[in-house]
Amino acid sequence: MSYPSAIDAVHTAIYARLSGDATLLALATGGVHDDVPDGQAYPYVQIGENTAEVPFDTFSQQGRSLVVTIHTWSQYQGAKEAAGIQSRIIALLDRYALSVSGGVLSRCVMESSRIMR
């Protein structure tokens, strides 16, 4: 059986959760973006690429496992600013039941986090 990708619905739910949090927006003063405008002020969060979309159908349900990359962009000299923003993103999403249009999200789990310079 074929069913549509859940990527758009999951991105929409992640965007709503992150962009609606005043604490995150105080840290990432440039906001939360899917498509980052030219000249965007730092620091900001970008909902990035999907690195996996894998079906996990059972006898009674159909589902998908998605891996979504969330970038934190900063020009701070060091990792402190990005780490603080990432910590807030993890607090907002890890183990949180996102409301996803057209489906049910059973769990949202942080897979990994890293800061690159």
Side-chain angles (χ1 to χ4, degrees):
M1 175 180 260
S2 175
Y3 47 93
S5 170
I7 292 171
D8 187 52
V10 170
H11 274 227
T12 299
I14 290 171
Y15 178 83
R17 177 79 171 148
L18 298 181
S19 66
D21 184 70
T23 302
L24 177 61
L25 296 179
L27 297 169
T29 55
V32 177
H33 305 276
D34 182 22
D35 183 33
V36 180
D38 289 339
Q40 179 59 50
Y42 291 87
Y44 63 87
V45 173
Q46 178 186 18
I47 301 169
E49 63 279 354
N50 305 293
T51 57
E53 181 177 12
V54 180
F56 66 88
D57 299 349
T58 67
F59 289 110
S60 61
Q61 295 179 300
Q62 292 182 335
R64 299 267 179 170
S65 174
L66 299 173
V67 176
V68 178
T69 302
I70 300 174
H71 301 280
T72 300
W73 295 94
S74 170
Q75 291 183 325
Y76 183 83
Q77 298 300 312
K80 182 179 180 179
E81 184 175 69
I85 294 168
Q86 285 180 359
S87 291
R88 184 61 187 165
I89 292 168
I90 292 166
L92 288 168
L93 295 178
D94 192 36
R95 313 278 183 222
Y96 183 77
L98 284 170
S99 176
V100 178
S101 174
V104 176
L105 184 66
S106 60
R107 70 182 183 149
C108 184
V109 180
M110 195 272 291
E111 185 175 274
S112 68
S113 175
R114 71 180 145 190
I115 295 174
M116 301 184 307
R117 294 185 177 181

Short mmCIF file of all heavy atoms in Angstrom, two decimals, residues 18 24 27-28 31 42-48 69-75 79-90 113-116:
data_model
loop_
_atom_site.label_atom_id
_atom_site.label_comp_id
_atom_site.label_asym_id
_atom_site.label_seq_id
_atom_site.Cartn_x
_atom_site.Cartn_y
_atom_site.Cartn_z
N LEU A 18 9.05 24.94 17.66
CA LEU A 18 10.24 25.76 17.91
C LEU A 18 9.94 27.25 17.82
O LEU A 18 10.37 28.02 18.69
CB LEU A 18 11.36 25.39 16.93
CG LEU A 18 11.89 23.96 17.01
CD1 LEU A 18 13.00 23.77 15.99
CD2 LEU A 18 12.34 23.60 18.40
N LEU A 24 13.38 29.87 23.40
CA LEU A 24 14.25 29.59 22.25
C LEU A 24 14.48 30.85 21.43
O LEU A 24 15.61 31.14 21.02
CB LEU A 24 13.66 28.49 21.37
CG LEU A 24 14.47 28.17 20.11
CD1 LEU A 24 15.88 27.70 20.45
CD2 LEU A 24 13.75 27.16 19.25
N LEU A 27 17.09 33.07 22.74
CA LEU A 27 18.44 32.56 22.49
C LEU A 27 18.83 32.69 21.02
O LEU A 27 19.94 33.12 20.69
CB LEU A 27 18.55 31.09 22.91
CG LEU A 27 18.34 30.77 24.38
CD1 LEU A 27 18.19 29.27 24.59
CD2 LEU A 27 19.49 31.32 25.20
N ALA A 28 17.92 32.29 20.15
CA ALA A 28 18.15 32.35 18.69
C ALA A 28 17.41 33.57 18.17
O ALA A 28 16.32 33.47 17.61
CB ALA A 28 17.63 31.07 18.02
N GLY A 31 15.65 33.89 14.84
CA GLY A 31 14.43 33.14 14.59
C GLY A 31 14.64 31.71 14.15
O GLY A 31 15.76 31.18 14.17
N TYR A 42 22.32 36.49 12.83
CA TYR A 42 22.69 35.35 13.67
C TYR A 42 22.36 35.67 15.12
O TYR A 42 22.31 36.83 15.47
CB TYR A 42 24.20 35.09 13.56
CG TYR A 42 24.63 34.57 12.23
CD1 TYR A 42 24.95 35.46 11.20
CD2 TYR A 42 24.74 33.22 11.99
CE1 TYR A 42 25.36 34.98 9.96
CE2 TYR A 42 25.15 32.73 10.75
CZ TYR A 42 25.45 33.62 9.75
OH TYR A 42 25.86 33.15 8.52
N PRO A 43 22.19 34.69 15.96
CA PRO A 43 22.08 33.25 15.70
C PRO A 43 20.66 32.90 15.28
O PRO A 43 19.70 33.59 15.64
CB PRO A 43 22.41 32.62 17.06
CG PRO A 43 21.92 33.63 18.05
CD PRO A 43 22.16 34.98 17.41
N TYR A 44 20.54 31.82 14.53
CA TYR A 44 19.22 31.35 14.12
C TYR A 44 19.21 29.83 14.00
O TYR A 44 20.24 29.19 14.02
CB TYR A 44 18.77 32.00 12.81
CG TYR A 44 19.62 31.70 11.60
CD1 TYR A 44 19.38 30.57 10.83
CD2 TYR A 44 20.65 32.55 11.22
CE1 TYR A 44 20.15 30.29 9.70
CE2 TYR A 44 21.42 32.29 10.10
CZ TYR A 44 21.16 31.16 9.35
OH TYR A 44 21.94 30.89 8.24
N VAL A 45 18.00 29.31 13.89
CA VAL A 45 17.78 27.87 13.77
C VAL A 45 17.19 27.60 12.40
O VAL A 45 16.34 28.35 11.92
CB VAL A 45 16.80 27.38 14.87
CG1 VAL A 45 16.41 25.93 14.67
CG2 VAL A 45 17.40 27.60 16.25
N GLN A 46 17.66 26.53 11.77
CA GLN A 46 17.14 26.14 10.46
C GLN A 46 16.71 24.67 10.51
O GLN A 46 17.47 23.80 10.92
CB GLN A 46 18.22 26.29 9.39
CG GLN A 46 17.75 25.86 8.01
CD GLN A 46 18.87 25.89 6.99
OE1 GLN A 46 20.05 25.91 7.35
NE2 GLN A 46 18.50 25.88 5.73
N ILE A 47 15.48 24.44 10.09
CA ILE A 47 15.02 23.06 9.93
C ILE A 47 15.58 22.59 8.61
O ILE A 47 15.23 23.10 7.55
CB ILE A 47 13.48 22.98 9.96
CG1 ILE A 47 12.97 23.54 11.29
CG2 ILE A 47 13.02 21.54 9.75
CD1 ILE A 47 11.48 23.76 11.34
N GLY A 48 16.50 21.67 8.69
CA GLY A 48 17.29 21.29 7.52
C GLY A 48 16.80 20.05 6.82
O GLY A 48 15.61 19.73 6.81
N THR A 69 17.22 16.88 10.34
CA THR A 69 18.36 17.63 10.85
C THR A 69 17.92 19.04 11.18
O THR A 69 17.25 19.70 10.37
CB THR A 69 19.49 17.66 9.80
OG1 THR A 69 19.85 16.32 9.48
CG2 THR A 69 20.69 18.42 10.31
N ILE A 70 18.30 19.52 12.35
CA ILE A 70 18.01 20.89 12.77
C ILE A 70 19.35 21.57 13.02
O ILE A 70 20.13 21.13 13.87
CB ILE A 70 17.11 20.92 14.01
CG1 ILE A 70 15.79 20.22 13.71
CG2 ILE A 70 16.88 22.37 14.45
CD1 ILE A 70 14.88 20.05 14.89
N HIS A 71 19.61 22.62 12.25
CA HIS A 71 20.87 23.35 12.34
C HIS A 71 20.73 24.56 13.26
O HIS A 71 19.70 25.22 13.27
CB HIS A 71 21.30 23.88 10.97
CG HIS A 71 21.48 22.82 9.94
ND1 HIS A 71 22.61 22.05 9.87
CD2 HIS A 71 20.67 22.41 8.92
CE1 HIS A 71 22.51 21.21 8.85
NE2 HIS A 71 21.34 21.40 8.27
N THR A 72 21.81 24.84 13.98
CA THR A 72 21.92 26.07 14.75
C THR A 72 23.09 26.84 14.15
O THR A 72 24.21 26.33 14.10
CB THR A 72 22.20 25.77 16.23
OG1 THR A 72 21.13 24.99 16.76
CG2 THR A 72 22.33 27.05 17.04
N TRP A 73 22.82 28.05 13.69
CA TRP A 73 23.84 28.87 13.06
C TRP A 73 24.21 30.03 13.99
O TRP A 73 23.35 30.76 14.46
CB TRP A 73 23.34 29.42 11.73
CG TRP A 73 23.10 28.33 10.74
CD1 TRP A 73 21.92 27.69 10.49
CD2 TRP A 73 24.06 27.72 9.88
NE1 TRP A 73 22.09 26.72 9.52
CE2 TRP A 73 23.40 26.72 9.12
CE3 TRP A 73 25.42 27.92 9.66
CZ2 TRP A 73 24.06 25.94 8.18
CZ3 TRP A 73 26.07 27.14 8.73
CH2 TRP A 73 25.38 26.17 8.00
N SER A 74 25.50 30.18 14.24
CA SER A 74 25.97 31.19 15.17
C SER A 74 27.32 31.72 14.69
O SER A 74 28.09 31.00 14.06
CB SER A 74 26.13 30.55 16.56
OG SER A 74 26.80 31.40 17.45
N GLN A 75 27.60 32.96 15.02
CA GLN A 75 28.92 33.54 14.75
C GLN A 75 29.68 33.80 16.04
O GLN A 75 30.73 34.43 16.04
CB GLN A 75 28.78 34.84 13.95
CG GLN A 75 28.30 34.60 12.54
CD GLN A 75 28.23 35.88 11.73
OE1 GLN A 75 27.90 36.94 12.25
NE2 GLN A 75 28.52 35.78 10.45
N ALA A 79 31.68 27.66 21.32
CA ALA A 79 30.51 26.79 21.18
C ALA A 79 29.37 27.12 22.14
O ALA A 79 28.29 26.55 22.03
CB ALA A 79 30.94 25.34 21.40
N LYS A 80 29.58 28.03 23.06
CA LYS A 80 28.60 28.28 24.12
C LYS A 80 27.22 28.67 23.60
O LYS A 80 26.21 28.12 24.03
CB LYS A 80 29.13 29.37 25.06
CG LYS A 80 28.21 29.65 26.22
CD LYS A 80 28.80 30.71 27.12
CE LYS A 80 27.85 30.99 28.28
NZ LYS A 80 28.39 31.99 29.19
N GLU A 81 27.16 29.59 22.67
CA GLU A 81 25.87 30.06 22.16
C GLU A 81 25.11 28.94 21.45
O GLU A 81 23.94 28.70 21.73
CB GLU A 81 26.07 31.25 21.22
CG GLU A 81 24.77 31.86 20.73
CD GLU A 81 25.04 33.11 19.91
OE1 GLU A 81 25.57 32.98 18.78
OE2 GLU A 81 24.72 34.21 20.40
N ALA A 82 25.78 28.25 20.53
CA ALA A 82 25.13 27.16 19.79
C ALA A 82 24.71 26.04 20.74
O ALA A 82 23.62 25.46 20.59
CB ALA A 82 26.06 26.62 18.71
N ALA A 83 25.54 25.73 21.72
CA ALA A 83 25.22 24.67 22.67
C ALA A 83 23.97 25.03 23.48
O ALA A 83 23.13 24.17 23.74
CB ALA A 83 26.40 24.41 23.60
N GLY A 84 23.85 26.28 23.87
CA GLY A 84 22.66 26.71 24.61
C GLY A 84 21.40 26.61 23.78
O GLY A 84 20.34 26.17 24.27
N ILE A 85 21.50 26.99 22.51
CA ILE A 85 20.35 26.89 21.60
C ILE A 85 20.00 25.42 21.37
O ILE A 85 18.83 25.04 21.42
CB ILE A 85 20.64 27.62 20.28
CG1 ILE A 85 20.78 29.13 20.54
CG2 ILE A 85 19.55 27.34 19.25
CD1 ILE A 85 21.35 29.91 19.38
N GLN A 86 21.01 24.59 21.14
CA GLN A 86 20.75 23.17 20.93
C GLN A 86 20.11 22.53 22.16
O GLN A 86 19.20 21.70 22.03
CB GLN A 86 22.04 22.44 20.58
CG GLN A 86 22.50 22.71 19.17
CD GLN A 86 23.79 21.97 18.83
OE1 GLN A 86 24.37 21.26 19.65
NE2 GLN A 86 24.24 22.12 17.60
N SER A 87 20.56 22.91 23.33
CA SER A 87 19.97 22.37 24.56
C SER A 87 18.48 22.69 24.65
O SER A 87 17.68 21.86 25.06
CB SER A 87 20.69 22.92 25.80
OG SER A 87 21.99 22.41 25.86
N ARG A 88 18.13 23.90 24.26
CA ARG A 88 16.71 24.29 24.31
C ARG A 88 15.92 23.51 23.27
O ARG A 88 14.79 23.07 23.54
CB ARG A 88 16.55 25.80 24.09
CG ARG A 88 15.12 26.27 24.22
CD ARG A 88 14.56 25.98 25.60
NE ARG A 88 13.14 26.29 25.65
CZ ARG A 88 12.33 25.88 26.61
NH1 ARG A 88 12.79 25.15 27.62
NH2 ARG A 88 11.06 26.21 26.59
N ILE A 89 16.46 23.33 22.07
CA ILE A 89 15.78 22.55 21.03
C ILE A 89 15.54 21.13 21.52
O ILE A 89 14.44 20.57 21.36
CB ILE A 89 16.59 22.56 19.72
CG1 ILE A 89 16.59 23.97 19.11
CG2 ILE A 89 16.03 21.54 18.73
CD1 ILE A 89 17.59 24.15 17.98
N ILE A 90 16.54 20.53 22.13
CA ILE A 90 16.41 19.17 22.66
C ILE A 90 15.32 19.13 23.73
O ILE A 90 14.47 18.23 23.74
CB ILE A 90 17.75 18.65 23.20
CG1 ILE A 90 18.72 18.47 22.03
CG2 ILE A 90 17.58 17.35 23.98
CD1 ILE A 90 20.17 18.28 22.44
N SER A 113 23.70 15.16 18.54
CA SER A 113 23.93 16.60 18.51
C SER A 113 25.44 16.80 18.37
O SER A 113 26.22 16.09 18.98
CB SER A 113 23.42 17.23 19.81
OG SER A 113 23.73 18.59 19.85
N ARG A 114 25.81 17.78 17.56
CA ARG A 114 27.24 18.11 17.46
C ARG A 114 27.39 19.57 17.06
O ARG A 114 26.53 20.16 16.43
CB ARG A 114 27.94 17.20 16.47
CG ARG A 114 27.60 17.46 15.04
CD ARG A 114 28.32 16.52 14.13
NE ARG A 114 27.42 16.23 13.03
CZ ARG A 114 27.61 15.32 12.15
NH1 ARG A 114 28.67 14.56 12.20
NH2 ARG A 114 26.77 15.12 11.19
N ILE A 115 28.51 20.12 17.47
CA ILE A 115 28.84 21.49 17.12
C ILE A 115 30.08 21.44 16.26
O ILE A 115 31.10 20.85 16.63
CB ILE A 115 29.08 22.34 18.39
CG1 ILE A 115 27.76 22.43 19.18
CG2 ILE A 115 29.61 23.72 18.03
CD1 ILE A 115 27.89 23.11 20.51
N MET A 116 29.98 22.05 15.08
CA MET A 116 31.11 22.09 14.15
C MET A 116 31.55 23.53 13.99
O MET A 116 30.73 24.44 14.00
CB MET A 116 30.68 21.50 12.79
CG MET A 116 30.22 20.07 12.90
SD MET A 116 29.82 19.29 11.33
CE MET A 116 28.69 20.41 10.57
#
